[in-house]
């Protein structure tokens, strides 16, 4: 009974085509038609500019917290560009560029981050899931979608995104395992942006790569330069083709960097150095692609102005969104309202019907009483069940 | 018409729903070749194949999570979690996603899926194989929570749960799987989810129960009639959420007294919501405080002591008698 080695040594491929200085490995350069390249470039620019605009809107209090994508445009667009309209895209919460590519209107994304669920409603024919916030929990959904596609005999492929932090979650491993066992058409795109809020990759995993995690589940994993849109495009095209051909799942690790904060509530200077950020800024995916497009003679004049105007229109449309009364919160809790929920809805409706008069009374009340304390709105009638403040 | 126990009755519901709708599929641990550890999915694998009756890897979160994905695609998965005590490993998928996709996508997608789980004690089983956790699910908006009390209503409610457009947690009392046989019609039967049933009418006291506790309620009611000449009305909830508040209130408006029986621990359990609901709907008819007979607020006690922990006939009788003489 000797000790024998039953697993072959594995290797992980790292793919890079266009380096940080715009140097091209022409042997690997994909034959992407010029019009498609222009579309990709425009989408990258739009992703960047929209992200910057969202940050300003957030700082002005016009939208709430969101997760900026700056630096990850190539990882998102190089991958999503390989999907068909009939394929599925399952985002986590930092895939604004992928969502824009899939046809989510900017005003809807703004609406979502302004706290309105209407912004998370995919269009009737859109095969995308909305933003998913609990880390890694969207991954099993993608596997289920892929299983369903296979079950129905559709040739749809599912592309699902997560980050490096997600690879520590149980749902990541369960999803990968199910995908391998069921041999379903799913492409896992891990945007390894080096940081999960303040936790660097080396504290997240002791694996040499994230790509190699796929091997344990019986399907290929590949690592690509995630700031190289051409490399991401090539790896993703291969993975999508494999999935569509019935050859099962693939994991693509896009090595990239979050140039901004985790979310707008975070201050990354607390946990990482300016030198590190500067080093990654030199590898900016957009700069690199601009150089490439310039060399190919494909840069279009006036593109930035066009994109900015498009964003401005979307912001205006978002801000002109008419107010909808909060009763809509009862519309989609269930397909049909139970009697108890209908009663809660009726209660709110009655409250809302009273509200204008109360609002007017409150507005008319003095803002402060003589002793400097805020005055209770004592002249307005109390709501049902509400007691008047006790006065000595 | 056939005499079936609850296992066979549930199996019949699955068989018939799968025959009438190719989008219905079964997924779980050991549900295929083995037919489920309680045999509820027996033979389905042979009839429908492994693409529709899927032996999944051993991972609750992905069973529910992947089923959510299937439901989003338009399939109607019926997932089996082997014991409700293991569902905490998929609780986040249930609460974060199954319950919320309809709301999150403003009606664009919903999760038409059933999550079957054997629950409850009285079967001399290990830790995590005997608990009652219905209160966790009943508290989650977006879910429905159903617990049948016998073969016939189990079969009809499961068929309805499979057809329900919203996600349904379907608890099956292990103590009832083989407890009794009932006449179950051959033709498909459904039952409205969200409706309690007056299991037997009475005028003196309302005994509220569900699942395996309905048996305890019936025996207690028999004893009270024989020994005390008291007519107890039993309300069998069948659906925990949404709670049939009207049937509860109507019963207590008639009887003026209520005792609630459940296997789950008392504090913040279903009894609290049931009692509040009775207060709201029948306060002026109440002649006595509402009492609860439940498990105690202690973690799993070991099956050697579970009879002392779970509600039984003597405890229910005592509570009813105190309520009646108040």
């Amino acid at each position: 009974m000797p000790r024998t080695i039953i697993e072959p040594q594995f290797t992980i491929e790292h793919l890079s085509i266009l380096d940080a200085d715009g140097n091209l490995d022409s042997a690997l350069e994909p034959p992407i038609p010029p019009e498609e390249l222009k579309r990709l470039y425009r989408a990258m620019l739009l992703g960047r500019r929209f992200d910057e605009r969202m940050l300003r809107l957030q700082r002005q209090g016009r939208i709430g917290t969101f997760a900026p994508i700056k630096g990850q445009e190539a990882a998102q667009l190089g991958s999503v560009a390989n999907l068909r309209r009939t394929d599925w895209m399952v985002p986590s919460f930092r895939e604004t560029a992928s969502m824009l590519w899939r046809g989510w209107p900017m005003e809807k994304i703004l609406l979502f981050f302004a706290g309105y669920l209407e912004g998370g409603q995919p269009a009737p024919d859109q095969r995308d899931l909305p933003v998913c916030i609990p880390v890694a929990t969207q991954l099993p959904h993608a596997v289920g979608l892929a299983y369903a596609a296979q079950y129905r005999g559709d040739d749809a492929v599912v592309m699902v995104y997560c980050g490096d932090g997600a690879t520590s979650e149980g749902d990541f491993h369960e999803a990968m395992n199910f995908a391998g066992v069921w041999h379903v058409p799913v492409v896992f795109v891990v945007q390894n942006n080096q940081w999960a809020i303040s936790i660097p990759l080396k504290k997240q995993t002791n694996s040499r790569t994230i790509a190699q995690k796929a091997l344990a589940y019986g399907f290929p994993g590949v690592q690509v330069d995630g700031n190289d849109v051409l490399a991401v495009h090539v790896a993703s095209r291969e993975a999508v083709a494999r999935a569509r051909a019935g050859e099962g799942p693939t994991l693509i690790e896009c090595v990239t960097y979050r140039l901004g904060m985790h979310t707008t509530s975070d201050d990354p200077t607390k946990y990482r150095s300016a030198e590190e950020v500067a080093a990654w800024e030199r590898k900016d995916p957009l700069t690199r692609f601009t150089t490439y497009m310039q060399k190919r003679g494909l840069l279009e004049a006036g593109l930035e102005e066009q994109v900015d105007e498009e964003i401005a229109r979307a912001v205006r449309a978002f801000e002109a969104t008419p107010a909808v009364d909060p009763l809509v919160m009862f519309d989609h809790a269930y397909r049909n309202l139970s009697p108890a929920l209908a009663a809660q809805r009726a209660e709110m409706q009655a409250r809302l019907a009273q509200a204008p008069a109360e609002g007017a009374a409150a507005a008319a009340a003095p803002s402060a009483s003589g002793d400097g304390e805020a005055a209770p709105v004592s002249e307005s009638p109390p709501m049902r069940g509400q007691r008047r403040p006790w006065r000595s | 018409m056939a005499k079936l126990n609850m296992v066979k009755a549930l199996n019949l519901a699955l068989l018939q729903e799968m025959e009438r709708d190719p989008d219905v599929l079964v997924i779980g641990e050991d549900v295929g070749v083995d037919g489920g550890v309680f045999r509820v999915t027996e033979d389905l694998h042979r009839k429908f194949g492994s693409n529709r009756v899927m032996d999944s890897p051993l991972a609750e979160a992905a069973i529910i999570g992947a089923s959510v994905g299937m439901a989003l695609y338009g399939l109607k998965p019926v997932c089996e979690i082997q014991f409700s005590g293991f569902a905490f490993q998929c609780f986040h998928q249930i609460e974060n996603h199954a319950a919320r996709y309809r709301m999150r996508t403003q009606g664009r997608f919903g999760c038409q899926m059933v999550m079957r789980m054997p629950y409850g004690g009285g079967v001399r089983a290990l830790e995590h194989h005997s608990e009652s956790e219905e209160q966790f699910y009943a508290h989650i908006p977006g879910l429905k929570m159903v617990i049948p009390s016998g073969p016939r209503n189990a079969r009809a409610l499961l068929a309805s749960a499979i057809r329900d457009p919203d996600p349904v947690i379907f608890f099956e009392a292990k103590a009832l799987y083989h407890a009794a046989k009932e006449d179950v019609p051959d033709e498909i039967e459904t039952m409205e989810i969200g409706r309690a049933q007056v299991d037997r009418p009475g005028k003196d006291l309302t005994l509220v129960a569900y699942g395996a506790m309905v048996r305890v309620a019936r025996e207690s009611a028999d004893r009270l009639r024989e020994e005390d000449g008291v007519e107890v009305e039993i309300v069998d909830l069948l659906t925990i959420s949404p709670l049939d508040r009207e049937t509860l209130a109507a019963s207590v408006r008639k009887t003026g007294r209520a005792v609630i029986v459940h296997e789950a621990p008392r504090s913040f359990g279903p009894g609290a919501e049931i009692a509040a609901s009775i207060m709201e709907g029948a306060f002026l008819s109440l002649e006595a405080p509402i009492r609860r007979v439940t498990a105690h607020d202690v973690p799993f006690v070991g099956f050697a002591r579970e009879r002392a922990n779970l509600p039984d006939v003597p405890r229910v009788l005592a509570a009813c008698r105190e309520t009646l003489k108040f």
Side-chain angles (χ1 to χ4, degrees), chain A residues 65-197:
Chain A
T65 302
F66 79 101
I69 63 163
K70 188 178 180 185
Q72 299 181 215
E73 297 87 351
Q76 296 182 19
L77 291 162
S79 51
V80 77
N82 289 283
L83 294 183
R84 298 174 184 167
R85 184 81 189 154
T86 47
D87 291 331
W88 286 78
M89 194 279 287
V90 180
S92 66
F93 52 77
R94 198 191 302 283
E95 278 75 33
T96 309
S98 297
M99 290 176 74
L100 292 174
W101 181 273
R102 292 287 290 177
W104 288 84
M106 280 182 278
E107 52 266 42
K108 222 165 171 175
I109 293 172
L110 293 172
L111 204 57
F112 177 81
F113 287 110
Y116 292 97
L117 296 185
E118 288 87 335
Q121 183 188 49
D125 61 337
Q126 195 180 353
R127 297 184 126 192
D128 290 3
L129 298 189
V131 163
C132 176
I133 294 171
V135 171
T137 60
Q138 73 281 10
L139 296 162
H141 308 165
V143 175
L145 285 168
Y147 184 84
Q150 202 171 57
Y151 179 82
R152 285 265 180 90
D154 302 340
D155 75 348
V157 168
V158 183
M159 181 173 282
V160 58
Y161 291 91
C162 69
D164 44 300
T167 67
S168 299
E169 288 276 11
D171 277 22
F172 172 81
H173 296 275
E174 292 192 21
M176 298 266 284
N177 187 45
F178 273 52
V181 172
W182 290 351
H183 204 66
V184 288
V186 62
V187 178
F188 298 94
V189 180
V190 182
Q191 297 186 75
N192 171 7
N193 69 12
Q194 313 303 323
W195 291 91
I197 306 190

Side-chain angles (χ1 to χ4, degrees), chain B residues 213-227:
Chain B
M213 288 297 109
V214 172
R215 277 195 315 173
V216 175
R218 283 177 187 152
E219 206 183 319
S220 305
D222 289 343
R223 292 269 301 273
L224 286 164
R225 188 178 53 219
E226 288 157 19
E227 297 168 19

Side-chain angles (χ1 to χ4, degrees), chain A residues 58-348:
Chain A
Q58 194 277 336
R59 294 307 190 223
Q60 293 162 352
R62 291 153 82 182
I63 61 171
T65 302
F66 79 101
I69 63 163
K70 188 178 180 185
Q72 299 181 215
E73 297 87 351
Q76 296 182 19
L77 291 162
S79 51
V80 77
N82 289 283
L83 294 183
R84 298 174 184 167
R85 184 81 189 154
T86 47
D87 291 331
W88 286 78
M89 194 279 287
V90 180
S92 66
F93 52 77
R94 198 191 302 283
E95 278 75 33
T96 309
S98 297
M99 290 176 74
L100 292 174
W101 181 273
R102 292 287 290 177
W104 288 84
M106 280 182 278
E107 52 266 42
K108 222 165 171 175
I109 293 172
L110 293 172
L111 204 57
F112 177 81
F113 287 110
Y116 292 97
L117 296 185
E118 288 87 335
Q121 183 188 49
D125 61 337
Q126 195 180 353
R127 297 184 126 192
D128 290 3
L129 298 189
V131 163
C132 176
I133 294 171
V135 171
T137 60
Q138 73 281 10
L139 296 162
H141 308 165
V143 175
L145 285 168
Y147 184 84
Q150 202 171 57
Y151 179 82
R152 285 265 180 90
D154 302 340
D155 75 348
V157 168
V158 183
M159 181 173 282
V160 58
Y161 291 91
C162 69
D164 44 300
T167 67
S168 299
E169 288 276 11
D171 277 22
F172 172 81
H173 296 275
E174 292 192 21
M176 298 266 284
N177 187 45
F178 273 52
V181 172
W182 290 351
H183 204 66
V184 288
V186 62
V187 178
F188 298 94
V189 180
V190 182
Q191 297 186 75
N192 171 7
N193 69 12
Q194 313 303 323
W195 291 91
I197 306 190
S198 67
I199 307 300
L201 185 68
K202 66 177 186 296
K203 286 190 184 173
Q204 201 67 249
T205 178
N206 199 32
S207 295
R208 169 80 175 76
T209 68
I210 286 171
Q212 74 199 55
K213 292 177 192 281
L215 304 182
Y217 299 106
F219 57 86
V222 56
Q223 188 185 67
V224 302
D225 179 346
N227 286 6
D228 171 359
V229 71
L230 300 180
V232 178
H233 196 281
V234 166
S236 306
R237 189 186 53 198
E238 289 171 3
V240 168
R242 285 190 68 248
R244 211 180 304 283
E247 291 167 27
T250 306
L251 183 151
I252 302 169
E253 175 190 359
C254 298
V255 180
T256 179
Y257 193 78
R258 159 163 63 78
L259 288 173
M261 57 289 282
H262 162 67
T263 70
T264 46
S265 311
D266 165 47
D267 172 13
T269 61
K270 278 190 72 180
Y271 51 78
R272 63 187 193 186
S273 69
E275 294 74 34
E276 179 185 303
V277 178
W280 279 94
E281 272 169 350
R282 286 192 289 277
K283 304 182 201 173
D284 187 318
L286 185 57
T287 319
R288 190 184 308 196
F289 197 34
T290 307
T291 311
Y292 174 79
M293 292 295 278
Q294 206 159 23
K295 282 183 186 166
R296 295 272 314 254
L298 294 172
L299 271 190
E300 294 166 284
L303 194 58
E304 285 200 13
E305 292 73 17
Q306 268 181 40
V307 161
D308 286 347
E309 179 45 36
E310 194 184 334
I311 294 168
R313 274 198 307 273
V315 173
R316 285 195 296 272
F318 155 66
E319 298 208 309
T321 307
V324 178
D325 76 46
L327 278 175
V328 295
M329 75 174 67
F330 295 99
D331 291 352
H332 301 296
Y334 295 87
R335 169 77 63 79
N336 305 304
L337 275 185
S338 68
L341 205 48
Q344 292 180 22
R345 186 183 189 282
E347 255 182 54
M348 176 184 281

